[in-house]
Amino acid sequence: MGKLHIRKDDTVIVLTGADKGKTGKVLKVLVDEERAIVEGVNMVSRSTKPSAKTPNGGIVKKEAPIHISNLSLIDPKSGKPTRVAIKHDGKNVIRIAKKSGEEIK
C-alpha cells in the first residue's frame, strides 16, 4: 500500500458511480482501506435506536466511505479535475496540480 494523493479538507470530484460529477470536501481518509468520506457523497440510510443524542431514533442519512480511485482532486486554479505530482523540498513534501502547476495547500 502506497501513499494516497488525497488528504483531509481537499476538494474532490467523484469520477464514477451513482454520485458521478458531485464535488465535496474530504471529511476523513481511511488509509488502511484506501477510502475517503466525502461531504454529501455516497449517502446511506441507517436505522438508529432512541438514545440521548437522538431521542426519537429513526432513519439517519450519513456519508459512507468511497474508494480513493473513484475520486480526483480539484485544481485550485481552474476548478477542474487534475492529477497530483509530488515534489520533495528537503524534508517537506509538496503536492502540485498537473494541469496548472499550482501548489496544492
Side-chain angles (χ1 to χ4, degrees), residues 36-100:
I37 297 175
V38 182
E39 191 174 37
V41 174
N42 200 21
M43 300 297 284
V44 293
S45 299
R46 292 284 180 243
S47 298
T48 57
K49 288 185 176 181
S51 66
K53 202 178 216 181
T54 56
N56 295 335
I59 298 171
V60 176
K61 289 258 190 197
K62 64 185 240 178
E63 293 94 354
I66 187 168
H67 199 269
I68 291 285
S69 66
N70 297 332
L71 301 174
S72 182
L73 201 65
I74 296 289
D75 192 331
K77 193 172 186 180
S78 68
K80 294 183 178 179
T82 184
R83 290 177 297 147
V84 179
I86 303 294
K87 182 180 175 187
H88 297 281
D89 184 30
K91 289 194 175 195
N92 298 331
V93 175
I94 299 169
R95 296 182 305 156
I96 298 170
K98 286 266 194 174
K99 276 198 176 172
S100 66

Side-chain angles (χ1 to χ4, degrees), residues 10-28:
D10 282 346
T11 305
V12 295
I13 187 167
V14 180
L15 300 175
T16 59
D19 294 322
K20 180 178 178 176
K22 286 187 180 178
T23 60
K25 184 176 154 187
V26 176
L27 301 175
K28 187 176 184 180

